[in-house]
Amino acid sequence: MLLAELVTTHAAVAATRSRLRKRELLADALRAAEPGDEVEVAAAFLSGRPRQRRTGLGWRTLGSLPPPADVASLSPADVDDALGRLERLAGTGSQAARRAAVDELFARATADEQDFVRRLVLGELRQGALDSLLLDAIAAAADVPLPVVRRAAMFSALTGPIARAALDGGAPALESFHLEPGRPVRPMLAASAPDVAAALERFEGAAVAADTKLDGIRVQVHRRGDDVVVFTRSLDDVTERLPEVVAVARALDVRTVVLDGEAIALDDAGRPRPFQETAARTGSHDAEAGSATVPLSVRFFDVLHHDGTDLVDAPAAERLEVLDRVLPPEVVVPRLVSSDVAEVERFFADTVAGGQEGLVLKALDAPYAAGRRGAGWVKVKPRHTLDLVVLAVEWGSGRRQGRLSNIHLGARDPGTGGFVMLGKTFKGMTDQMLAWQTERFTELATSPADGSSYVVTVRPEQVVEIAFDGVQRSTRYPGGMALRFARVVRYRDDKTAAEADTVDTVRALAAAPGPAAG
Ligand SMILES: Nc1ncnc2c1ncn2[C@@H]1O[C@H](COP(=O)(O)OP(=O)(O)OP(=O)(O)O)[C@@H](O)[C@H]1O
């Protein structure tokens, strides 16, 4: 197979709005690849994530490339090999050796291929919607049921090995994927409801576990013997940064355990400290002087494995029973089990009054279903926000003079792979945020950020959490909608643009009476 075939597929997928057509195009490309390594690499490229995570290649190195080749000769394997070499050089190699390796690869690529590989390496081809489409396409190409593919995907952060197993060995090969303590699992996500009553309705009168929703950072903790590894929501290894979490896991009376929970900075009374203090411990740039030393607490809400027993497919009731038996109560998230609306509403009010974010209602009979917003978990918060992507930013005036200030907000459009602008805001920004974002958006700028132009466009990568009072019809923006009184809650570094809220969510809000979202 030639790389050019994947480049063409990628462009065709982006150009059509039909999900079915996208799936066919992707499935055709997977079928065209040789089973084995080639299909694994092809799936990795189509998902926008090369197999190498740390090539160390940045915007700067890839800004100047050799002239493109006239004819396509590169295979996906050639690119994979070259990225493997670059990953090895990233640790030890000289700048010159890296430059030479980059030039050698790109000199063999046509203009379209250069563009594709550059965006691949920079992470610009990644899209949440694409991940789930690709799983659909793998099911179609290998002729195996989609749930079998989805289940396997839970245990593999990368899509390539899933494609390889499916096309090589069909359903039996996929069924052999399982949880391995030490290897991260895609986290289970929650759907959302506007209030407790609406959330409970989804469970049709059954009793639920109403779990306190803590506003910290998601941690997945794996312990084997004395070995402890801590992963974030996006499956990054943050073990080194969270010694308190490691200590709690080590102190448990278990041999092997995989726990799901939240790390959070709490004050002496158990109330959450400002989210920024928690974020400073794992985020890359929220860190302010001093705050990075705030101690974190950890609270667990699920267990996926315990001393040789896999619990992923066990109903939540059983998992919670293990959690309560194995962990000391002070590290378990407070929970109420009930089917009574008034009782859950009281618990919600008390929880919010205690400074926590809200509740996550959980079906007691549901397995741990990762990677998708299933029906098993439904979150309820008193304040509704959207996670949007910054598309551009304007130079400020007055107090904000010399700072990149007013941000343009976009919702993801899964149909086009692009973003739809919904408004602008500089409300809610602290001086610290302004200083940080001026630097951040200068880095992401795709138009001059030297002050020569008032609006600076940026690569759509930074996710920001926005509170608002409603969605109104508006002719000002192409999507025909605008947010009322949008204000910044915080920047989110635990989410990629691919995970931002979609324009469909915003449309649903526009049709509903009050604000309700993420
Ligand atoms: N008791 C809990 N059970 C499950 N998740 C919890 C709990 N407490 C806090 N959380 C957090 O809430 C998140 C679930 O909401 P969701 O899956 O929508 O992620 P999200 O988009 O990051 O949500 P949000 O923006 O509301 O935090 C989890 O990722 C987890 O970090």
Side-chain angles (χ1 to χ4, degrees), residues 189-190 211-214 218 233 262 301 333 360 362 373 377 379 381 387 492 495 518:
L189 302 175
D211 244 6
T212 305
K213 188 175 197 298
L214 299 171
R218 185 96 178 241
R233 186 183 193 280
E262 199 85 355
F301 49 73
V333 166
V360 184
K362 302 182 176 181
R373 288 188 197 274
W377 289 5
K379 61 182 169 180
K381 297 195 267 192
D387 290 326
R492 292 202 56 158
K495 277 198 171 181

Side-chain angles (χ1 to χ4, degrees), residues 207-479:
V208 298
D211 244 6
T212 305
K213 188 175 197 298
L214 299 171
D215 194 13
I217 43 176
R218 185 96 178 241
V219 285
Q220 193 180 100
V221 181
H222 293 239
R223 172 170 158 198
R224 281 171 303 174
D226 283 339
D227 254 4
V228 176
V229 198
V230 185
F231 298 102
T232 60
R233 186 183 193 280
S234 42
L235 310 185
D236 292 320
D237 182 339
V238 286
T239 313
E240 302 281 306
R241 308 186 71 165
L242 301 178
E244 306 98 313
V245 177
V246 173
V248 169
R250 275 224 181 100
L252 299 174
D253 185 17
V254 295
R255 280 174 284 120
T256 313
V257 75
V258 178
L259 296 164
D260 195 358
E262 199 85 355
I264 183 167
L266 298 173
D267 65 18
D268 293 341
R271 291 179 69 96
R273 299 182 60 88
F275 177 79
Q276 275 67 18
E277 296 186 10
T278 298
R281 290 290 306 274
T282 54
S284 44
H285 47 245
D286 268 319
E288 312 139 18
S291 69
T293 58
V294 166
L296 290 190
S297 302
V298 64
R299 299 287 180 268
F300 294 105
F301 49 73
D302 217 321
V303 53
L304 311 188
H305 180 100
H306 172 241
D307 281 355
T309 308
D310 228 334
L311 294 165
V312 168
D313 293 320
E318 186 180 332
R319 302 200 307 277
L320 294 176
E321 187 270 315
V322 174
L323 193 72
D324 291 343
R325 185 158 44 80
V326 173
L327 269 56
E330 61 274 16
V331 296
V332 177
V333 166
R335 141 181 25 107
L336 168 82
V337 175
S338 173
S339 59
D340 183 67
V341 179
E343 195 182 11
V344 180
E345 276 173 346
R346 256 193 320 274
F347 186 58
F348 178 72
D350 290 348
T351 301
V352 172
Q356 309 299 350
E357 200 187 9
L359 296 179
V360 184
L361 305 195
K362 302 182 176 181
L364 290 169
D365 58 355
Y368 191 89
R372 274 200 328 145
R373 288 188 197 274
W377 289 5
V378 178
K379 61 182 169 180
V380 191
K381 297 195 267 192
R383 183 184 62 176
H384 303 295
T385 61
L386 286 168
D387 290 326
L388 299 175
V389 177
V390 179
L391 307 176
V393 56
E394 297 171 6
W395 285 107
S397 56
R399 180 172 77 84
R400 300 182 196 81
Q401 181 80 40
R403 302 284 202 204
L404 283 171
S405 166
N406 207 8
I407 52 177
H408 296 200
L409 305 165
R412 198 154 59 77
D413 184 349
T416 61
F419 297 89
V420 176
M421 185 168 170
L422 296 172
K424 312 177 190 181
T425 191
F426 53 77
K427 296 212 174 63
M429 284 171 191
T430 60
D431 285 344
Q432 241 156 9
M433 271 176 169
L434 281 168
W436 172 78
Q437 73 177 33
T438 300
E439 219 170 279
R440 169 76 174 148
F441 293 129
T442 303
E443 253 170 51
L444 291 180
T446 53
S447 71
D450 53 8
S452 60
S453 141
Y454 170 59
V455 180
V456 178
T457 53
V458 297
R459 278 189 277 142
E461 288 178 16
Q462 182 62 50
V463 177
V464 61
E465 186 175 346
I466 296 290
F468 57 100
D469 289 355
V471 183
Q472 62 198 16
R473 301 209 169 282
S474 162
T475 48
R476 190 167 339 147
Y477 303 118

Side-chain angles (χ1 to χ4, degrees), residues 149-208:
V149 176
R150 285 217 179 110
R151 187 181 179 286
M154 238 166 84
F155 305 116
S156 172
L158 298 173
T159 310
I162 306 288
R164 179 185 197 132
L167 281 120
D168 256 5
L174 290 169
E175 276 154 8
S176 73
F177 279 68
H178 59 275
L179 183 145
E180 250 174 65
R183 285 226 326 250
V185 176
R186 293 193 206 201
M188 181 160 178
L189 302 175
S192 57
D195 56 41
V196 167
L200 271 172
E201 255 173 47
R202 310 253 182 109
F203 301 96
E204 298 173 343
V208 298

